[in-house]
Amino acid sequence: MDLKKDIIEQTKKLQEFIIDKVAKKESTNSISIQDVRLINEALFALSAIFDYCKFEPHNKVLLQKTYRLGLDIVYEELFYYAGYYYSYKGISKGNIYEKQSALFKVNVNTATAISVFEGYKNGICEIGGSTDDYYIERMERVFWGLNTVLKSQREEIMTPSLYVIYNLSQSLSVYLKSGHKAYKENAIRLLREILNIQEKFHSLSIVKQILLKNIKLNLFNLYQFSLANEVLDLKQPILLPNISSFNNYTTENILRILSSIFYFDKKLFIEIFEHKYSAVIHEISINRVGLNNFLFLKCLILYYSITGNQQCIDFSLLPLQKNKIDFSDYINTVFHNYYQSATVILEPEELKKLLEYNDDTLREKVANTIIGVDPNILIRESKKPHGASEISDMEIPIKLSGQSFYMCMPFKSGIEISGNSVPENIAYQIFRPFLHFDNCIVVFITAKKSSQNLMNYIKRMQSKLGWNITVIENEGLAKLLKINNQLN
């Protein structure tokens, strides 16, 4: 068993799967609800990577970009949580097929909500648009539908109804754990409501029999309830069922059971995983990439988090960039007198003056050297406040050879960096814009010199991934400012 190799291989397959679905969506302008379900399962596996694996900043960006690509297409399919909106009609008045279809659509919508909340937690997306509002506003309609199931107690829809309950509970707990605040009070209220509905379902003899026979569903119930226990501080005991032989379970069921067991009994998780590993990896190797690959990847990561030595994993993922261009051919047309600045002679006190600028002053002065850009955009970007959601200190739209790019400019002032050079650990700030923009150029502006480790890292990413990164630093930056009458 080569854990790192397996994780890298399965993550590559996951990325290729998402790229294929994105291409399909772009060519047909449509995507099936089954594909939405599978993409969300892929995103859950990526979330596990963020939670349990170590990786360098460039891999973080590539993993985040892969996540973002998948999230964008499933988010578009929410249609303001239409699955929630039409759930009551489908569940209460439809025939058996319409009831099951309505419950399935609710589950897919809820899976996308979980992907959004995990994406927010990992700095990939924001929460708070009108579509996100409907997650809260329309969930009550699902509760109405579930209450009609309680009255009818139809066996054919009892299991899918339980999945709806557990998924809704999980999504609300994941939201509350994400750190987002705007929906907190409503999320707590809705979580208490769904737990109340859950309790009513669990009191039914038919449900007790289902949970007794369906270990996968029962463990998922206990997992989501443990999350609710945590976020609501309920401190209610959780009793695990007796887990017997797995001989008759499908690969999907084994992997889902493992994912739940991990949170309760890591020793048992390791025992089952090691026993089933060979059979699982054989099965997924002879089938096309899909659900079991993503479930297996998640279990691999959970196993690695217990038994691995937690070294950084180099995933060797595709760079996910579209149009590429050599910015060095155009830098003089963007920064006024850039080439000529090389001949400028600096006085010692002038370099000292550069090092004394704070971030706001440095941004404003560098903005005054940029040409061919709407001056209003330059003013806005140079004065915008810092925030957790910012992509870079400045993002400037530019055109080069008829192509549109965003020139993203992370800044490090002399005041901000306490040491003699800029350390390698700020690399993610330089690479982060490639997560957000397909056509991206990064110009790193720093009053102090970059450390050799940082420069070597940038060079490796220029070569390996084709990322277009230019560094303007220290004396070179002072000369650029001086020739443009900004070093004052």
Side-chain angles (χ1 to χ4, degrees):
M1 185 189 302
D2 188 336
L3 281 177
K4 287 180 70 173
K5 180 182 176 183
D6 288 340
I7 290 172
I8 291 167
E9 180 181 351
Q10 295 304 319
T11 306
K12 285 181 178 178
K13 289 181 178 180
L14 182 153
Q15 186 191 47
E16 290 166 0
F17 176 87
I18 288 179
I19 291 171
D20 178 67
K21 296 306 177 185
V22 170
K24 179 181 177 182
K25 177 75 183 324
E26 289 177 346
S27 64
T28 65
N29 200 32
S30 66
I31 186 171
S32 71
I33 192 169
Q34 289 291 348
D35 277 345
V36 172
R37 170 177 173 261
L38 288 175
I39 292 169
N40 277 317
E41 293 286 357
L43 298 181
F44 298 160
L46 284 175
S47 293
I49 293 178
F50 293 127
D51 288 342
Y52 295 106
C53 289
K54 291 183 179 180
F55 35 77
E56 292 183 315
H58 71 280
N59 272 303
K60 181 177 180 180
V61 170
L62 294 178
L63 290 164
Q64 288 180 318
K65 180 88 176 202
T66 301
Y67 194 105
R68 184 63 179 263
L69 286 175
L71 181 61
D72 283 349
I73 57 175
V74 297
Y75 191 78
E76 288 177 8
E77 296 302 308
L78 280 174
F79 297 119
Y80 301 99
Y81 285 88
Y84 286 11
Y85 184 77
Y86 294 106
S87 61
Y88 176 68
K89 179 181 178 181
I91 297 170
S92 63
K93 299 179 181 179
N95 58 38
I96 189 63
Y97 170 78
E98 290 168 333
K99 292 176 188 293
Q100 291 173 337
S101 177
L103 291 166
F104 180 73
K105 290 175 182 176
V106 169
N107 277 329
V108 173
N109 276 188
T110 303
T112 299
I114 293 172
S115 294
V116 171
F117 305 151
E118 289 286 354
Y120 174 82
K121 182 188 76 174
N122 289 300
I124 300 167
C125 64
E126 292 299 313
I127 301 173
S130 56
T131 295
D132 299 324
D133 293 343
Y134 282 119
Y135 165 75
I136 295 293
E137 294 172 12
R138 292 182 168 176
M139 192 181 295
E140 296 271 10
R141 301 180 70 87
V142 185
F143 296 174
W144 302 344
L146 290 170
N147 283 321
T148 68
V149 177
L150 274 172
K151 292 178 182 177
S152 69
Q153 296 188 31
R154 292 194 63 173
E155 184 173 0
E156 306 96 317
I157 59 170
M158 198 59 68
T159 295
S161 295
L162 290 172
Y163 274 111
V164 164
I165 291 168
Y166 302 155
N167 282 321
L168 287 173
S169 173
Q170 180 188 12
S171 71
L172 289 161
S173 295
V174 170
Y175 170 77
L176 291 167
K177 287 169 67 70
S178 74
H180 191 262
K181 302 297 184 185
Y183 308 136
K184 183 177 179 179
E185 289 185 9
N186 280 321
I188 290 173
R189 173 182 58 80
L190 291 169
L191 180 54
R192 292 188 185 278
E193 285 187 41
I194 196 64
L195 290 177
N196 183 50
I197 293 172
Q198 176 179 299
E199 187 176 355
K200 292 177 181 178
F201 269 82
H202 285 180
S203 69
L204 301 177
S205 59
I206 187 174
V207 170
K208 291 177 182 178
Q209 287 299 311
I210 289 172
L211 293 177
L212 184 64
K213 295 176 182 178
N214 191 332
I215 185 68
K216 177 185 71 171
L217 182 60
N218 199 354
L219 283 169
F220 179 45
N221 156 47
L222 295 175
Y223 165 65
Q224 61 79 25
F225 189 63
S226 70
L227 290 180
N229 253 336
E230 180 184 346
V231 297
L232 297 179
D233 197 26
L234 298 177
K235 298 179 181 178
Q236 296 187 20
I238 294 175
L239 300 177
L240 287 180
N242 181 40
I243 300 171
S244 56
S245 172
F246 284 80
N247 291 335
N248 297 322
Y249 285 80
T250 65
T251 296
E252 177 190 344
N253 284 344
I254 290 170
L255 293 171
R256 289 196 184 280
I257 288 169
L258 277 168
S259 293
S260 297
I261 289 175
F262 171 83
Y263 296 98
F264 302 110
D265 190 334
K266 290 180 173 52
K267 183 179 179 181
L268 181 60
F269 171 86
I270 291 172
E271 179 184 328
I272 298 170
F273 182 86
E274 291 178 346
H275 178 64
K276 293 293 183 180
Y277 170 83
S278 296
V280 171
I281 202 165
H282 172 72
E283 180 174 330
I284 66 173
S285 69
I286 61 176
N287 292 305
R288 67 180 183 178
V289 175
L291 176 61
N292 286 342
N293 293 84
F294 312 143
L295 297 176
F296 179 56
L297 174 57
K298 182 177 180 179
C299 287
L300 279 169
I301 293 160
L302 298 178
Y303 183 84
Y304 184 73
S305 73
I306 305 171
T307 63
N309 56 15
Q310 292 299 291
Q311 294 178 346
C312 282
I313 298 176
D314 188 350
F315 291 92
S316 300
L317 296 170
L318 297 173
L320 302 174
Q321 287 296 107
K322 291 186 177 179
N323 296 330
K324 296 180 181 179
I325 201 164
D326 188 348
F327 185 60
S328 63
D329 294 337
Y330 301 90
I331 192 168
N332 201 56
T333 65
V334 176
F335 292 95
H336 189 234
N337 290 327
Y338 180 83
Y339 291 155
Q340 294 88 332
S341 68
T343 62
V344 169
I345 298 174
L346 284 178
E347 300 298 331
E349 60 271 17
E350 290 176 317
L351 189 58
K352 181 181 178 182
K353 184 174 292 185
L354 169 67
L355 296 175
E356 292 173 348
Y357 293 150
N358 62 25
D359 183 83
D360 292 337
T361 301
L362 187 59
R363 279 196 292 168
E364 183 176 351
K365 289 181 174 296
V366 170
N368 290 335
T369 72
I370 297 173
I371 54 178
V373 174
D374 184 338
N376 293 306
I377 293 176
L378 286 173
I379 292 171
R380 182 189 69 211
E381 289 295 315
S382 66
K383 295 182 180 297
K384 73 178 182 182
H386 291 292
S389 61
E390 73 178 7
I391 297 171
S392 197
D393 290 298
M394 294 175 66
E395 300 111 36
I396 309 296
I398 60 174
K399 280 199 171 183
L400 306 174
S401 293
Q403 297 181 78
S404 296
F405 291 85
Y406 266 95
M407 181 175 71
C408 297
M409 302 170 66
F411 280 72
K412 289 296 173 187
S413 66
I415 293 174
E416 188 177 358
I417 300 297
S418 58
N420 293 326
S421 61
V422 185
E424 184 182 0
N425 62 15
I426 64 93
Y428 179 72
Q429 297 174 46
I430 299 173
F431 301 153
R432 178 174 166 79
F434 294 104
L435 158 65
H436 294 278
F437 298 118
D438 292 329
N439 296 339
C440 182
I441 293 163
V442 170
V443 180
F444 177 43
I445 305 292
T446 171
K448 292 185 177 180
K449 289 183 179 180
S450 302
S451 68
Q452 194 58 53
N453 285 341
L454 177 59
M455 285 304 301
N456 288 343
Y457 194 3
I458 291 171
K459 290 172 185 176
R460 292 202 312 272
M461 295 307 102
Q462 289 169 328
S463 174
K464 182 176 182 179
L465 301 177
W467 284 351
N468 208 316
I469 304 170
T470 295
V471 179
I472 303 179
E473 64 178 8
N474 199 244
E475 290 186 6
L477 175 59
K479 290 179 179 182
L480 177 65
L481 295 179
K482 183 174 181 178
I483 201 171
N484 286 287
N485 298 316
Q486 295 299 312
L487 194 61
N488 47 42

